Protein backbone atom coordinates (compact mmCIF):
# COMPACT_ATOMS: atom_id res chain seq x y z
CA UNK A 1 0.00 0.00 0.00
CA UNK A 2 1.23 3.47 -0.82
CA UNK A 3 1.85 5.82 2.09
CA UNK A 4 3.15 9.33 2.62
CA UNK A 5 4.89 8.91 5.96
CA UNK A 6 6.01 6.09 8.26
CA UNK A 7 5.99 6.06 12.06
CA UNK A 8 8.09 3.47 13.87
CA UNK A 9 6.44 2.94 17.26
CA UNK A 10 8.13 -0.41 17.99
CA UNK A 11 9.08 -0.91 21.62
CA UNK A 12 6.61 1.70 22.84
CA UNK A 13 3.74 0.71 25.11
CA UNK A 14 0.29 2.21 25.52
CA UNK A 15 -0.49 5.09 25.21
CA UNK A 16 2.67 6.20 23.38
CA UNK A 17 1.91 4.60 19.97
CA UNK A 18 -1.43 6.43 19.83
CA UNK A 19 0.02 9.73 21.05
CA UNK A 20 2.78 9.60 18.45
CA UNK A 21 0.27 8.59 15.76
CA UNK A 22 -1.92 11.58 16.63
CA UNK A 23 1.06 13.96 16.55
CA UNK A 24 2.28 12.64 13.21
CA UNK A 25 -1.19 12.74 11.62
CA UNK A 26 -1.45 16.40 12.65
CA UNK A 27 1.60 17.09 10.46
CA UNK A 28 -0.01 15.48 7.37
CA UNK A 29 -2.42 17.00 4.89
CA UNK A 30 -5.97 15.70 4.49
CA UNK A 31 -6.03 12.51 2.43
CA UNK A 32 -2.43 11.54 3.14
CA UNK A 33 -1.68 8.04 4.47
CA UNK A 34 0.40 7.21 7.55
CA UNK A 35 1.99 3.79 8.05
CA UNK A 36 2.45 2.89 11.73
CA UNK A 37 4.55 -0.05 12.93
CA UNK A 38 4.04 -1.06 16.57
CA UNK A 39 4.87 -4.02 18.82
CA UNK A 40 2.29 -3.42 21.57
CA UNK A 41 -0.57 -5.95 21.17
CA UNK A 42 -2.93 -3.37 22.67
CA UNK A 43 -2.34 -1.15 19.68
CA UNK A 44 -4.78 -3.26 17.62
CA UNK A 45 -7.80 -2.15 19.65
CA UNK A 46 -6.29 1.28 20.30
CA UNK A 47 -5.84 2.12 16.60
CA UNK A 48 -9.41 1.08 15.78
CA UNK A 49 -10.79 3.15 18.66
CA UNK A 50 -8.55 6.09 17.69
CA UNK A 51 -9.81 5.97 14.10
CA UNK A 52 -13.44 5.81 15.23
CA UNK A 53 -13.03 8.72 17.67
CA UNK A 54 -11.07 11.02 15.36
CA UNK A 55 -12.71 10.30 12.01
CA UNK A 56 -9.43 9.22 10.42
CA UNK A 57 -9.82 6.07 8.32
CA UNK A 58 -8.07 2.86 9.35
CA UNK A 59 -7.30 1.42 5.91
CA UNK A 60 -5.49 -1.69 7.07
CA UNK A 61 -4.47 -3.50 10.25
CA UNK A 62 -2.16 -6.50 9.89
CA UNK A 63 0.36 -8.49 11.88
CA UNK A 64 3.77 -9.23 10.39
CA UNK A 65 5.79 -11.48 12.71
CA UNK A 66 5.98 -9.53 16.01
CA UNK A 67 5.02 -6.22 14.41
CA UNK A 68 1.55 -4.75 13.98
CA UNK A 69 1.24 -2.61 10.85
CA UNK A 70 -1.49 -0.01 10.42
CA UNK A 71 -2.34 2.33 7.57
CA UNK A 72 -4.37 5.39 8.51
CA UNK A 73 -5.76 7.97 6.11
CA UNK A 74 -6.05 11.46 7.51
CA UNK A 75 -9.56 12.91 7.32
Amino acid sequence: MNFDRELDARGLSCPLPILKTKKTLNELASGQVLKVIATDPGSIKDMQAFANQTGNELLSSTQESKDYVFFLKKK
Side-chain angles (χ1 to χ4, degrees):
M1 184 177 297
N2 292 331
F3 58 94
D4 299 289
R5 187 134 174 223
E6 182 174 321
L7 171 63
D8 186 349
R10 288 180 278 210
L12 301 176
S13 55
C14 187
L16 288 175
I18 290 296
L19 294 175
K20 290 191 174 283
T21 297
K22 182 179 180 184
K23 181 178 185 274
T24 305
L25 276 173
N26 285 338
E27 298 168 0
L28 297 179
S30 180
Q32 288 189 305
V33 176
L34 173 65
K35 176 183 180 180
V36 181
I37 305 169
T39 50
D40 180 8
S43 62
I44 298 168
K45 288 184 180 178
D46 291 346
M47 285 293 175
Q48 184 62 61
F50 173 78
N52 290 340
Q53 291 172 355
T54 62
N56 296 297
E57 185 180 355
L58 182 60
L59 301 173
S60 172
S61 172
T62 59
Q63 184 174 357
E64 297 175 8
S65 186
K66 295 180 181 180
D67 294 338
Y68 302 97
V69 180
F70 307 96
F71 289 91
L72 290 125
K73 184 176 183 180
K74 182 169 180 178
K75 65 176 180 176

